[in-house]
Amino acid sequence: MAQLLKKVRQYNLPVTGFMWLYALLSVYPLVWMIFYSLKNNDEIFVTNPFGFPTHLRFENYTQAWSNYNVPVYFMNSVLVAAATVSGAIILSVMFSYATARLQWRLRGIAHTYILIGMFIPIQVIMIPLAILVRDFHLANTYGALIVPYIAFNLSFTSIVFYGFFRSIPGELEESACIDGASIYRTFFSIMLPIIKPALATMVIFIFLNSWNEFTMAVILITKESLKTLPLGLLFFQGQFTTDWGAMGAAMTIASLPTVLIYMIFSEQVENALTVGSAVKG
């Protein structure tokens, strides 16, 4: 028995070492960005580009936050991302329930129509989108970003919710109907709690998409007070190329909400990988 355990440890040692090495390589870019935000230009480019800062320069964060319009960019990104997540989740979950669980004419065509949206590259629709935004008087407003962001996230989000709804046994709805529950009560009290892991996963997915989106923002938003963080960082680099420490601080601030959102919903994301089999069981 002792020899068997020894062989198992010997076999696992290279695998464990490889996994630790892979984990370190995966985490290091985030750690490097934090180190980068606490250095000056000399450390970043000459004396200490990859190591721990010799002196922690927290003034880079103060300078980025107070001098370079980062609070405005940050709040714009928060507003756009929150509105996008709310709109996309509400519309896609209701549409998915209607196509996956309800019987109505043309539901297959409606589902296919939404599915086609996944295969349309964003570059193809940029000119028509810019014309529509102008004609609807949305240019240089939050709506110029929120409405397209919601539309582009509907396809994938609806398909994910569709798959989860289809995996739920029909006996649950039949029992609710026998007990007198309306379709709305069934949807809100039974269906939504079951797909909570999928909801959490899609919240992270949509938030990351809208938080980091750049292509549409750079075309549809030119007003300084409405720019989001990706746009702000672009012009930050162009105007203040001598202050790389402050720019690193701005990038770290921009990354904090995504890390926070993932930490809040990470458990639900893991549950989403097994919820289908659990429901069937």
Side-chain angles (χ1 to χ4, degrees), residues 174-219:
E174 294 174 0
S175 300
C177 182
I178 293 173
D179 292 339
S182 66
I183 186 172
Y184 301 104
R185 179 67 181 273
T186 304
F187 175 70
F188 287 107
S189 301
I190 297 177
M191 291 300 178
L192 284 186
I194 290 177
I195 67 163
K196 191 161 51 175
L199 289 169
T201 305
M202 288 299 100
V203 166
I204 295 176
F205 178 81
I206 298 170
F207 182 85
L208 290 178
N209 278 349
S210 56
W211 187 266
N212 298 320
E213 203 285 329
F214 177 79
T215 307
M216 282 191 280
V218 75
I219 294 175

Side-chain angles (χ1 to χ4, degrees), residues 190-264:
I190 297 177
M191 291 300 178
L192 284 186
I194 290 177
I195 67 163
K196 191 161 51 175
L199 289 169
T201 305
M202 288 299 100
V203 166
I204 295 176
F205 178 81
I206 298 170
F207 182 85
L208 290 178
N209 278 349
S210 56
W211 187 266
N212 298 320
E213 203 285 329
F214 177 79
T215 307
M216 282 191 280
V218 75
I219 294 175
L220 301 175
I221 296 294
T222 57
K223 196 174 181 179
E224 182 68 22
S225 61
L226 295 177
K227 287 178 181 175
T228 54
L229 268 173
L231 285 182
L233 291 176
L234 173 67
F235 292 99
F236 190 100
Q237 183 182 15
Q239 298 177 29
F240 308 103
T241 52
T242 58
D243 196 352
W244 291 97
M247 184 174 179
M251 290 192 296
T252 304
I253 293 172
S255 303
L256 288 178
T258 56
V259 176
L260 182 63
I261 289 289
Y262 180 77
M263 291 176 64
I264 293 173

Side-chain angles (χ1 to χ4, degrees), residues 126-175:
M126 285 311 302
I127 294 177
L129 178 62
I131 295 174
L132 282 175
V133 168
R134 182 200 61 190
D135 292 344
F136 282 97
H137 304 290
L138 292 175
N140 276 324
T141 65
Y142 291 119
L145 296 180
I146 294 172
V147 174
Y149 287 178
I150 291 175
F152 266 87
N153 281 292
L154 279 181
S155 297
F156 181 74
T157 310
S158 297
I159 290 170
V160 171
F161 288 147
Y162 180 87
F164 272 78
F165 280 128
R166 294 290 292 180
S167 68
I168 299 173
E171 289 79 2
L172 290 176
E173 288 171 299
E174 294 174 0
S175 300

